[in-house]
Amino acid sequence: LCRTVTLNPALRPPRCAVLHIFAEERSDRCCVALFGDGDNITTLMRYYRAVTLLLIAASDALQAPAARRPARTRRHSATLPDEPHRVEIAQGAGREPLVLETGRIGRQADAAITATRGGTTVYATLCVGAADAGGGDFLPMSVEYQERFSATGRTSGSYNKRDGRANDGEILTCRLIDRPLRPTVPDGYTADVQLLAWVLSYDGAHDPQVLAVQACAAALRMSSVPTLEAVGAARCVVREDADGQKTFVVDPPPADVASADFGIVVGAAADGSVLMVEAEGAFVPEADALAALEAARAEAVATATAIAEWADALRDERGASGVPLRPYPDDLETAVAETFGARVADQT
């Protein structure tokens, strides 16, 4: 595709300014060349503005229609209520309630939750990307958790004052968030899901890790991503005093977690099923471990039930997700077993 335009036909060559436009079909590239003799510099400058405008018009005209361009990423924006919504979930006698809030900040995300207990606040956002990123058999959900120096009113002591890359504790917390949430997404949902959690403030008395799991669980439940059950999380530790008496403390402060003989974190669904268990500590009797597991599970189930009641009411106002499910074919395993079952059995 080539066009030649004489800017001033009244002038005879070689004193005329000639404009050549070169472009390739089905391409975004365009080249413009302006020619004139050495005595015609005034004419070239006079038509500089016209050449620039013509170049912009030509480039715009050569662009492919928007309908032809495949959309690489489709973002699902939230349709949040006009006013912020806030709920307080009781956490037992003498303990600070769990406060969940949405609709005040992060309105461009698919879901944004601010979870607060005491002076500790965690901000979690969920965004949905391409609908077929997982290829039909995988959920590409990524989780990122960050504890910033500003949460405690400090700055980095290094020369670089920025927050560095994730440390081991933050990476383990990302896994702590991912493990109970991933099983709640139905099979066949393969859209790209991103969960981000930041510790905005930390008072030293309330654990931000469990709070991050609760914030991300509420964001997932409220988002356009379909879920089977709401998720809650709780921590329980076993302490032994000088008299040998053992006590089970649910939602202990970080100082008690570090000095406890045994600690366990449980992620559970609202229907009572256990989705994730993470424990550490010294050897304890099986009865003590089961008692701590049951105490944490009961607390997690109560939190998940409250999150479901609050999030489902707001989720109904937004409608269902626009991403279709790609269900796993039920007869695939049977077909594979009939075709390759005997061969696999011979080799194993």
Side-chain angles (χ1 to χ4, degrees):
L1 183 63
C2 178
R3 295 290 184 270
T4 301
V5 181
T6 302
L7 297 182
N8 193 349
L11 297 178
R12 296 294 181 182
R15 301 187 59 83
C16 65
V18 181
L19 177 66
H20 294 275
I21 302 178
F22 306 94
E24 298 181 7
E25 295 185 7
R26 297 180 299 274
S27 176
D28 296 340
R29 291 177 293 181
C30 181
C31 178
V32 175
L34 183 64
F35 299 95
D37 58 7
D39 297 335
N40 203 20
I41 187 64
T42 303
T43 304
L44 296 180
M45 296 300 296
R46 184 185 307 169
Y47 292 111
Y48 176 78
R49 177 180 175 84
V51 170
T52 304
L53 295 178
L54 186 58
L55 173 61
I56 296 175
S59 300
D60 183 71
L62 292 172
Q63 295 290 328
R68 296 183 185 177
R69 297 183 177 182
R72 296 182 179 180
T73 301
R74 295 181 179 179
R75 182 172 59 87
H76 300 271
S77 299
T79 308
L80 297 177
D82 295 335
E83 297 295 332
H85 281 247
R86 176 188 177 101
V87 65
E88 291 189 4
I89 302 175
Q91 298 291 298
R95 295 158 55 193
E96 293 286 344
L98 171 62
V99 180
L100 300 177
E101 185 178 12
T102 186
R104 187 178 299 276
I105 58 176
R107 298 183 63 88
Q108 295 298 324
D110 197 78
I113 301 293
T114 302
T116 304
R117 288 204 60 205
T120 301
T121 301
V122 175
Y123 174 60
T125 60
L126 185 145
C127 294
V128 180
D132 55 350
D137 57 353
F138 177 71
L139 174 62
M141 183 174 69
S142 62
V143 180
E144 182 179 350
Y145 169 83
Q146 185 180 21
E147 298 175 350
R148 299 183 176 180
F149 287 99
S150 59
T152 57
R154 299 180 300 165
T155 59
S156 174
S158 61
Y159 177 78
N160 188 358
K161 299 302 180 182
R162 300 177 181 176
D163 291 284
R165 62 180 183 180
N167 54 37
D168 293 343
E170 292 171 333
I171 294 175
L172 293 176
T173 305
C174 293
R175 299 175 182 176
L176 196 71
I177 297 172
D178 184 277
R179 287 200 300 268
L181 298 185
R182 187 176 292 271
T184 63
V185 180
D187 293 336
Y189 186 85
T190 59
D192 191 8
V193 180
Q194 182 191 57
L195 269 170
L196 303 178
W198 297 285
V199 180
L200 300 183
S201 64
Y202 177 59
D203 59 0
H206 298 87
D207 185 14
Q209 294 181 339
V210 175
L211 191 62
V213 179
Q214 296 168 345
C216 292
L220 180 62
R221 186 67 178 181
M222 189 176 296
S223 68
S224 60
V225 179
T227 54
L228 301 175
E229 289 289 342
V231 178
R235 185 191 299 270
C236 181
V237 298
V238 181
R239 293 189 305 175
E240 185 175 354
D241 54 17
D243 299 335
Q245 292 294 115
K246 294 182 180 180
T247 57
F248 299 89
V249 181
V250 178
D251 187 26
D256 292 349
V257 174
S259 61
D261 299 329
F262 179 79
I264 189 171
V265 180
V266 177
D271 61 354
S273 58
V274 177
L275 301 174
M276 182 270 302
V277 176
E278 182 174 296
E280 63 177 347
F283 290 101
V284 295
E286 182 178 354
D288 294 344
L290 292 177
L293 173 64
E294 179 58 29
R297 189 194 69 86
E299 184 72 17
V301 170
T303 302
T305 303
I307 290 176
E309 294 176 356
W310 177 63
D312 290 350
L314 299 179
R315 190 176 185 177
D316 292 341
E317 298 177 2
R318 298 179 50 188
S321 170
V323 179
L325 296 179
R326 296 183 177 181
Y328 184 81
D330 297 334
D331 56 346
L332 180 60
E333 294 184 3
T334 303
V336 172
E338 293 177 354
T339 306
F340 304 101
R343 188 182 307 175
V344 173
D346 295 339
Q347 297 180 359
T348 54

